[in-house]
Amino acid sequence: MNDAAPPKFKPYTRQSIAQAHQWQFMSPELREAVEVVSRVLPFRTNAYVMDQLIDWSKIPDDPIYRLVFPHRDMLQPHEYAQLRELVLFKKDEAAIDKLVRTIRMRMNPHPAGQMTHNVPRVNDAPLRGLQHKYKETVLFFPSAGQSCHAYCTFCFRWPQFVGMDDLKFDASETTELVAYLATCPEVTDVLITGGDPMIMNTRSLAVFLESLLVPELAHIQNIRIGTKAVAYWPQRFVTDRDADDLMRLFEKVVAAGKNLAIMGHYSHAVELRNGMAQKAVKRIVSTGATLRMQGPLIRHINEDPAGWAELWTTGVRLGAIPYYMFVERDTGPSEYFSLPLARAHDIFQAAFQMVSGLSRTVRGPSMSAFPGKVVIDGVVTINGEKLFALQFLQARNPDWVRKPFFAKYDDKATWLDHLVPAFGKSKFFFEGADDGIVQARSAKVIPIREALRADAGRCRQ
C-alpha cells in the first residue's frame, strides 16, 4: 500500500463488476450467480476488498468472497431456476420485479419486530428513521448513511439497500431525533447506524454528531457509530481526504464529555491482518474514542474458533475491545448462513478458551431476538435432562435482564423460536398472553404483554 498516493474508493456493483480484473478469475457459473441472485439481495464490493481481502485462488470457498459475492444457494432451488429464466432469457422486467418481491418477503425482511414494535410514535405518528427497542438506547438511521462501502451477503438490514422504500428506515435530519430524546431522560445511548454512517463525509457526519452535544441532551452519555468501514474501507480513518477532519470530530465529541464508541463490525480475522486496517484501529483509539469489535457467527465464513481468537487478540493488542459474537439472524438467506445454536456455543467456547482475560470481554453467542438479546451461557444436565442455559443481556422489559432460564437441548435449533422450555413448562417466562398483535403467518413472534411493553417504553407513547 502506497501511503504517498492514497487510493481512491472504487465500488463495484452488478452493473460494473465485469470491469474488475478479478472477473476473469470467476467461472461462468459464479458470474451467473452474481447476475441472478443480486436481483434479490444487494451486491456491492470495492477494490480494497477485492485486492486485499479475497484470496482468488480459493474462490468460491474464500470466506470474504462468500461474504460479499452472491451464491446461487442463497435462494431456494426453484426460486433460482425461475429467476434465472427471467433474467437471462425472457428478460421480462415486470415479471422479474414481481418474483423478486415475492422472494424478498419470504425472507423475513425486518426481523425481531423492527417495524411493528421498535419504531417510536409521537402524536400517533411513527418517527421516521428511529428505533427504540430498549429503554436506554435509541437507534438513528441518517438517510445519508444508508449505504456501505461493501455489502455483506448475510446482512440483516438488507432491505435498506434494495429499493424497498416501504421497509426502509432513514431520516434526513435530526430535528425529530433531538426533540424525541429531550422527552426521554432515561435514554443514555444513541446508536447511529445504517447502512454505514461512515459512508458519509466528515462534514455531513458532524451535523448528526454535534446535534447530540446540546445542553438539553446532557443525559445522553454514549454515542455509538455502527460501521463496517474498519474492515471494508479502513482508509476512511487513515488516508481519505477528510480522514484527519474525522479524527478531530471524534476528539470534539470526546472533549464534550461523551463516550464515543465505534462499533466495528468484523467478520473474519483476515479483515484485521492488513496494515491499513490496523492503522485505522490505532487512529480511532488515539482520539479517545473506544472501538468495540462485534460480528455474527456465519456458516461458510468464520466457523474456525482459532480465527475468532486471532481477531480478538489482534484487536486487543491494537487497543480495541472484543464485544459481541452474534448468532446469524433469521432473515435474508438465513438457511445458507445459519448454524445450530449448539454448534455456535461450541465455537464460542473453544475460541474463548484460546484467549487471555483481556479478550474475554466478548459476549456470546447472542441472539438479537424479538424480546431481547439472549445469550447461550452453556449446555447443562439437570435431573438427567440435557438443556441450554440462557439469559437476557438486554430486554424489552428490564426485569428480564440477567434472569437465567432453560430450554431443552436441540442440536438442530438455530434461533430462539425453535427452542422449547425445559422442565415440562408450556412457555418461557417472558411469553405472555396474546396482546392483540397481528402476526404474519410467515414469522413467529414471541408476544409480550401490553403492560410490560408500556412500562419498558414509557417515553415512546
Side-chain angles (χ1 to χ4, degrees), residues 51-255:
D51 295 340
Q52 302 294 329
L53 302 184
I54 296 176
D55 183 344
W56 290 93
S57 70
K58 296 181 179 179
I59 66 167
D61 296 327
D62 176 82
I64 305 302
Y65 179 86
R66 288 192 181 274
L67 193 60
V68 296
F69 277 84
H71 300 261
R72 66 179 298 156
D73 292 343
M74 292 176 185
L75 303 183
Q76 295 177 359
H78 72 280
E79 293 172 339
Y80 186 89
Q82 293 173 359
L83 189 56
R84 178 181 183 274
E85 178 71 14
L86 290 173
V87 169
L88 300 183
F89 301 103
K90 293 185 178 180
K91 304 184 186 299
D92 185 336
E93 291 299 324
I96 290 172
D97 290 345
K98 182 178 180 180
L99 178 58
V100 164
R101 176 77 180 186
T102 299
I103 296 172
R104 286 173 177 168
M105 297 310 295
R106 190 266 300 168
M107 288 182 164
N108 187 23
H110 273 309
Q114 289 188 92
M115 298 202 75
T116 58
H117 292 75
N118 297 358
V119 179
R121 301 180 69 87
V122 172
N123 299 325
D124 201 33
L127 291 182
R128 185 173 179 88
L130 271 71
Q131 290 186 23
H132 192 175
K133 180 176 180 179
Y134 304 126
K135 181 178 69 174
E136 303 88 353
T137 306
V138 165
L139 277 63
F140 180 63
F141 297 74
S143 56
Q146 298 315 303
S147 183
C148 295
H149 293 94
Y151 295 143
C152 297
T153 44
F154 67 81
C155 182
F156 77 94
R157 292 216 177 107
W158 57 271
Q160 297 285 99
F161 318 127
V162 294
M164 300 176 74
D165 291 342
D166 54 332
L167 297 178
K168 189 173 183 178
F169 293 102
D170 64 344
S172 59
E173 47 88 38
T174 62
T175 302
E176 289 186 332
L177 170 67
V178 172
Y180 177 69
L181 291 174
T183 69
C184 300
E186 62 266 54
V187 174
T188 58
D189 291 44
V190 175
L191 169 58
I192 303 175
T193 185
D196 192 330
M198 299 314 305
I199 203 78
M200 291 188 279
N201 61 40
T202 300
R203 181 181 300 177
S204 298
L205 180 62
V207 172
F208 295 103
L209 292 182
E210 290 171 356
S211 71
L212 301 175
L213 306 182
V214 295
E216 54 266 38
L217 297 185
H219 57 288
I220 303 300
Q221 302 171 21
N222 307 302
I223 300 173
R224 313 183 199 178
I225 301 176
T227 181
K228 184 71 178 178
V230 288
Y232 281 171
W233 188 248
Q235 290 88 340
R236 181 70 193 90
F237 308 93
V238 183
T239 61
D240 272 7
R241 183 174 58 182
D242 61 348
D244 289 344
D245 294 336
L246 181 63
M247 297 302 101
R248 303 296 82 76
L249 176 61
F250 287 0
E251 290 172 349
K252 180 177 182 179
V253 174
V254 173

Side-chain angles (χ1 to χ4, degrees), residues 366-380:
S366 173
M367 292 175 278
S368 291
F370 180 81
K373 285 187 174 69
V374 178
V375 68
I376 305 167
D377 270 339
V379 177
V380 299

Side-chain angles (χ1 to χ4, degrees), residues 214-428:
V214 295
E216 54 266 38
L217 297 185
H219 57 288
I220 303 300
Q221 302 171 21
N222 307 302
I223 300 173
R224 313 183 199 178
I225 301 176
T227 181
K228 184 71 178 178
V230 288
Y232 281 171
W233 188 248
Q235 290 88 340
R236 181 70 193 90
F237 308 93
V238 183
T239 61
D240 272 7
R241 183 174 58 182
D242 61 348
D244 289 344
D245 294 336
L246 181 63
M247 297 302 101
R248 303 296 82 76
L249 176 61
F250 287 0
E251 290 172 349
K252 180 177 182 179
V253 174
V254 173
K258 308 293 185 182
N259 171 42
L260 178 62
I262 307 303
M263 315 305 290
H265 296 203
Y266 293 95
S267 304
H268 194 277
V270 71
E271 295 172 333
L272 200 49
R273 291 174 189 160
N274 186 279
M276 183 64 70
Q278 296 192 7
K279 286 181 181 179
V281 175
K282 290 182 177 180
R283 292 205 85 197
I284 290 169
V285 299
S286 73
T287 67
T290 58
L291 174 60
R292 295 179 182 265
M293 308 170 68
Q294 60 186 24
L297 176 60
I298 324 164
R299 188 159 58 99
H300 305 298
I301 306 296
N302 51 22
E303 299 173 68
D304 181 11
W308 284 97
E310 178 192 340
L311 178 64
W312 298 333
T313 300
T314 303
V316 166
R317 176 172 59 80
L318 297 169
I321 304 168
Y323 188 51
Y324 269 120
M325 176 197 281
F326 289 112
V327 175
E328 169 61 5
R329 293 202 189 199
D330 55 340
T331 183
S334 57
E335 298 94 342
Y336 183 83
F337 285 123
S338 61
L339 283 164
L341 298 176
R343 170 79 172 136
H345 171 261
D346 288 345
I347 293 171
F348 179 84
Q349 184 179 42
F352 201 77
Q353 292 173 350
M354 295 178 186
V355 300
S356 76
L358 290 177
S359 294
R360 291 184 179 178
T361 53
V362 68
R363 297 174 290 182
S366 173
M367 292 175 278
S368 291
F370 180 81
K373 285 187 174 69
V374 178
V375 68
I376 305 167
D377 270 339
V379 177
V380 299
T381 300
I382 300 178
N383 296 330
E385 185 177 2
K386 192 175 184 180
L387 308 170
F388 285 120
L390 309 107
Q391 65 167 302
F392 282 100
L393 296 176
Q394 182 61 284
R396 292 184 184 274
N397 180 352
D399 291 340
W400 300 345
V401 175
R402 298 289 294 181
K403 185 174 182 179
F405 63 101
F406 299 90
K408 291 183 178 180
Y409 181 83
D410 182 345
D411 62 4
K412 295 182 175 59
T414 61
W415 196 249
L416 183 64
D417 287 357
H418 303 160
L419 298 180
V420 176
F423 313 126
K425 295 183 179 180
S426 60
K427 58 186 178 182
F428 293 109

